[in-house]
Amino acid sequence: MLARLYRKIFIAIVHDGEAHDVRIVAKKQKKVLYKESKHFEGSSSYEDLFLFLRKYFEESPLHYVALLNPEPKQGALSGCSHHGAEMMEDLSGTKTICRNDKWLLYSSMRGINSLEKEYKKIGLDFIFSPFSILEHFFADKIKGGFALYALAQKDSFSIAIFEYGKLEYAHHYPMNEKNTLSIEEDNNSVGFSIEIKEEDEAEKGISLDDIESLDDLDILDELDDLSDIEDLDTLEEIAEFSEDEPTYEEKRVSSPRGSDIKHEMDQFNNDYYRFELIQRTLVRFYAGELCQNRFVETVYIADAYGSGDELKRYLEEELFLNVSIRHIDLTEEVIALAMAEEEGM
């Protein structure tokens, strides 16, 4: 009855890095009345966000606030049987949700409580997992064959392997060094090595504790060799006497500013780190029982960070994968999930 009298206000919040992105969609009887987006950044971004949203709360009692879970300790497991007694000990301290009766989403209970406390003034109706975003965004691909899917955010990188709509493997990586788990902590976290117990890894002769860098992985230890120093000297001589070489004054004019160089270097470093994370995930999957002689050939990446070119090149040239990168509007995806959840309520 209220739905006929009032419009529904859907609010999506994405907290990534030091910023908040928000999307508001107003609907009445399935008709979209308006959409609005806003970006808040800096130490006061939360307070600015709250002040911005108050008018929408006052506009209709039927408002729904959805947040993309920014917690580092979260993940997904294949199948919902993990609700059973044999897994409850491993999942202690986590909040779990069975999605579509097919796979399990989990997140640190402490982290969820912290989010609810942090957003108490705003109020949260839904907290969505990055893996739900991946499933929704790549709905046209996931129902197909065996492939790896990844969501690249500024502060995190979520990786999942699906085959014909069935989740096979998942891992959520924080990007910030202050939040990044060590190898030892990584092994002891729920879901980071799905159904690969430490004793199983020992029997297979594989220890994740030994994986400190790419040099330690036999299947990854061959990278392209650099040219000889003499060759580099020759190239420098050719460049020095080339008529097309710009003058010092031209270089000064064309040289990028320091902030631009830093931004490019950050993107380059992040792309390479994401490349390493995909390598690490593949090594773990191939070492486990779930692999069953299946090997990833195709990778789909949802890019919310604005980079990806170098990551695509690394994956194609070093691992010989077929890579497709799509830009993703996270607030739009969160809104879509919130609308679907509200309709099912």
Side-chain angles (χ1 to χ4, degrees):
M1 185 65 182
L2 287 176
R4 295 183 179 180
L5 299 176
Y6 295 98
R7 60 186 58 182
K8 296 179 181 180
I9 310 294
F10 294 92
I11 299 169
I13 301 173
V14 175
H15 184 191
D16 203 8
E18 298 179 352
H20 284 87
D21 287 299
V22 61
R23 173 74 53 85
I24 299 100
V25 176
K27 292 181 67 177
K28 191 169 185 179
Q29 297 181 356
K30 297 185 178 182
K31 180 181 179 182
V32 176
L33 303 179
Y34 64 82
K35 291 185 178 182
E36 188 170 353
S37 300
K38 197 79 172 179
H39 177 80
F40 300 93
E41 196 163 345
S43 59
S44 64
S45 63
Y46 175 78
E47 291 299 328
D48 296 338
L49 171 65
F50 172 70
L51 294 175
F52 174 73
L53 293 178
R54 279 199 308 183
K55 62 179 179 180
Y56 298 102
F57 297 153
E58 297 169 356
E59 182 178 325
S60 172
L62 299 178
H63 54 265
Y64 306 91
V65 181
L67 175 74
L68 178 58
N69 191 352
E71 284 298 303
K73 295 183 180 180
Q74 60 174 307
L77 297 170
S78 177
C80 288
S81 61
H82 301 288
H83 278 296
E86 75 274 5
M87 284 297 295
M88 289 311 296
E89 183 177 350
D90 291 336
L91 292 173
S92 62
T94 66
K95 183 177 180 61
T96 62
I97 297 176
C98 183
R99 183 164 177 80
N100 300 329
D101 296 322
K102 294 181 179 179
W103 46 295
L104 188 76
L105 297 170
Y106 69 86
S107 184
S108 163
M109 181 66 75
R110 182 180 297 179
I112 294 295
N113 292 338
S114 177
L115 288 174
E116 292 176 344
K117 183 177 180 180
E118 179 182 354
Y119 288 89
K120 184 177 181 179
K121 289 199 299 184
I122 293 176
L124 297 177
D125 298 286
F126 310 109
I127 300 176
F128 291 116
S129 165
F131 298 103
S132 295
I133 297 291
L134 273 177
E135 182 195 38
H136 183 266
F137 186 68
F138 287 115
D140 60 325
K141 302 295 183 183
I142 281 180
K143 294 180 181 179
F146 191 66
L148 182 147
Y149 299 83
L151 173 61
Q153 296 178 254
K154 182 177 181 180
D155 275 359
S156 65
F157 196 50
S158 306
I159 301 175
I161 297 175
F162 283 89
E163 184 174 36
Y164 299 114
K166 180 179 180 294
L167 177 69
E168 298 290 341
Y169 192 89
H171 200 125
H172 179 76
Y173 298 95
M175 289 291 291
N176 289 348
E177 289 184 2
K178 62 181 180 181
N179 291 328
T180 300
L181 298 174
S182 67
I183 297 296
E184 291 77 8
E185 293 172 324
D186 203 3
N187 293 336
N188 296 327
S189 298
V190 177
F192 284 98
S193 296
I194 299 176
E195 296 181 6
I196 303 177
K197 298 181 180 179
E198 291 184 9
E199 56 267 28
D200 295 334
E201 290 165 0
E203 291 176 3
K204 294 176 182 295
I206 296 174
S207 173
L208 297 183
D209 294 334
D210 295 333
I211 301 177
E212 297 292 342
S213 67
L214 295 182
D215 296 333
D216 297 326
L217 305 178
D218 291 339
I219 66 173
L220 304 173
D221 62 0
E222 291 297 332
L223 296 176
D224 292 336
D225 292 329
L226 293 174
S227 300
D228 293 335
I229 299 300
E230 295 179 359
D231 295 334
L232 295 178
D233 293 338
T234 303
L235 290 175
E236 290 177 358
E237 292 175 3
I238 294 174
E240 181 180 354
F241 293 101
S242 172
E243 296 180 358
D244 296 330
E245 179 72 8
T247 63
Y248 173 74
E249 289 75 12
E250 290 173 336
K251 287 181 179 180
R252 287 188 58 188
V253 173
S254 61
S255 295
R257 294 175 297 177
S259 59
D260 295 333
I261 294 175
K262 183 180 184 302
H263 177 70
E264 290 180 4
M265 289 302 297
D266 287 344
Q267 284 191 333
F268 177 86
N269 291 334
N270 285 332
D271 277 359
Y272 190 77
Y273 184 52
R274 290 186 176 98
F275 164 67
E276 290 182 310
L277 293 180
I278 289 178
Q279 286 182 317
R280 184 188 303 180
T281 301
L282 291 176
V283 168
R284 287 175 175 160
F285 179 75
Y286 295 153
E289 296 178 359
L290 291 173
C291 177
Q292 298 176 355
N293 294 322
R294 294 175 297 176
F295 296 92
V296 171
E297 296 181 357
T298 304
V299 173
Y300 297 99
I301 299 173
D303 178 28
Y305 184 56
S307 59
D309 291 341
E310 292 298 320
L311 174 58
K312 185 175 188 294
R313 182 174 66 83
Y314 294 143
L315 294 172
E316 290 177 340
E317 294 183 0
E318 302 295 339
L319 300 183
F320 308 103
L321 297 170
N322 300 315
V323 182
S324 175
I325 297 181
R326 295 183 186 175
H327 172 72
I328 184 173
D329 184 334
L330 288 175
T331 55
E332 188 70 22
E333 295 301 311
V334 174
I335 283 284
L337 290 176
M339 289 181 177
E341 288 292 326
E342 187 274 333
E343 288 180 2
M345 292 172 60

